[in-house]
Amino acid sequence: MIGVGKVKQYTNVLDKPLSKGKQEVSLSAFAFLFSELVQYNQTQVDNIAELERRLEDAGYGVGVRVLELLCHRDKGNRRETRLLGILSFVHSTVWKVLFGKVADSLEKGTEHEDEYMISEKELLVNRFISIPKDMGTFNCGAFVAGIVRGVLDSAGFPATVSAHFVPMEGQQRPRTTILIKFAEEDGNLAQREREICAKNAAFMWIYFRRKCGPALLSFQGRVVLFSARTNGLSAARMRERDLHIMC
């Protein structure tokens, strides 16, 4: 008699593991569906700005769900709490899940401290798009800008996100830049980062105090960690900001 292994039964669909499923979809099917989305919204508006806003709103819902899915499936329901962490998450993890590759670049704006840019040489939603002259600077990247805004907003980093064409020398088609400007009501980002770092440093100090019995000494702006268990310096001298980054 051949034994048959037991198949685990789930009484609730919510108890089933969330598998990754197929990692690819038909590009032609996506292009057709996205074309229908654009054409439908085009019949509902009177100007280009309104059309881009509707595409951004459509992408926003996708971004909210993408963050929820990735945090639950890959990060154990943990979300990024640091600014650079969430930007790197969007630039790498989110982009790779949506477009099969990491974004070409992530840069900080030179004119404003609270501006960041994600650039893509050939954004998928613009790859097969031919824009009529009467539609001016219409950019289907507004849909992707909405996805980015949805991810950031759900992660607790409200921002204004927009898509722009940037001409490239020697290239017929411009690249697409997703401009991220964090909302003023979110407060001073630098101050927020310092507060998070201070909390992490405090937790780190308490942990070492309980586990190793060290003494944290501050001398001329540097933090030195001594531990009795290692008979001397257990961590290299580091500036306070470096300690924050390690936390």
Side-chain angles (χ1 to χ4, degrees):
M1 181 176 181
I2 300 176
V4 179
K6 292 184 178 179
V7 178
K8 189 172 181 180
Q9 300 294 326
Y10 295 95
T11 58
N12 191 331
V13 67
L14 298 177
D15 295 331
K16 294 182 179 180
L18 193 62
S19 62
K20 292 187 177 182
K22 295 183 64 176
Q23 298 298 301
E24 297 180 357
V25 297
S26 169
L27 182 58
S28 59
F30 168 79
F32 174 77
L33 181 61
F34 186 71
S35 173
E36 291 296 311
L37 174 67
V38 174
Q39 292 181 61
Y40 169 76
N41 284 285
Q42 190 175 358
T43 63
Q44 307 296 312
V45 300
D46 298 323
N47 54 69
I48 301 303
E50 183 65 16
L51 176 57
E52 289 184 342
R53 188 194 64 78
R54 289 179 69 96
L55 289 178
E56 182 182 338
D57 289 344
Y60 181 89
V62 176
V64 171
R65 289 163 178 78
V66 164
L67 177 66
E68 183 178 2
L69 171 65
L70 294 179
C71 288
H72 177 72
R73 189 178 67 190
D74 301 334
K75 298 176 71 67
N77 288 325
R78 292 174 297 178
R79 300 191 179 189
E80 294 288 347
T81 58
R82 302 289 296 275
L83 176 63
L84 294 181
I86 191 64
L87 288 172
S88 178
F89 176 74
V90 172
H91 165 263
S92 57
T93 305
V94 172
W95 225 261
K96 194 169 184 179
V97 167
L98 294 177
F99 306 117
K101 61 181 287 294
V102 176
D104 290 340
S105 66
L106 171 62
E107 304 171 283
K108 185 175 182 179
T110 56
E111 298 181 359
H112 302 281
E113 185 179 356
D114 58 350
E115 286 186 355
Y116 293 83
M117 294 168 289
I118 298 177
S119 296
E120 187 71 37
K121 182 179 179 180
E122 193 176 39
L123 191 64
L124 180 61
V125 296
N126 284 329
R127 184 178 300 176
F128 307 109
I129 297 295
S130 178
I131 302 174
K133 293 182 178 180
D134 60 337
M135 295 187 69
T137 58
F138 170 65
N139 193 331
C140 287
F143 180 75
V144 178
I147 295 177
V148 174
R149 184 168 68 88
V151 171
L152 294 175
D153 201 14
S154 298
F157 294 86
T160 301
V161 186
S162 54
H164 305 271
F165 285 126
V166 179
M168 295 192 303
E169 186 177 353
Q171 299 292 330
Q172 184 178 1
R173 295 176 65 90
R175 71 178 181 183
T176 303
T177 295
I178 306 298
L179 178 63
I180 304 169
K181 182 175 176 60
F182 288 96
E184 295 181 359
E185 58 267 21
D186 194 35
N188 189 312
L189 288 174
Q191 178 62 27
R192 174 176 172 172
E193 291 290 289
R194 285 194 293 268
E195 291 175 357
I196 293 176
C197 287
K199 291 179 181 178
N200 290 340
F203 283 123
M204 185 177 180
W205 182 83
I206 293 173
Y207 173 82
F208 279 113
R209 177 107 182 192
R210 289 179 177 177
K211 297 293 183 180
C212 307
L216 283 174
L217 305 177
S218 176
F219 177 71
Q220 293 183 351
R222 293 177 177 267
V223 175
V224 183
L225 177 63
F226 287 92
S227 172
R229 291 191 177 184
T230 56
N231 297 321
L233 196 63
S234 64
R237 291 182 175 85
M238 60 191 78
R239 294 182 180 178
E240 189 171 358
R241 60 182 177 85
D242 294 330
L243 177 62
H244 288 167
I245 292 175
M246 288 183 62
C247 297

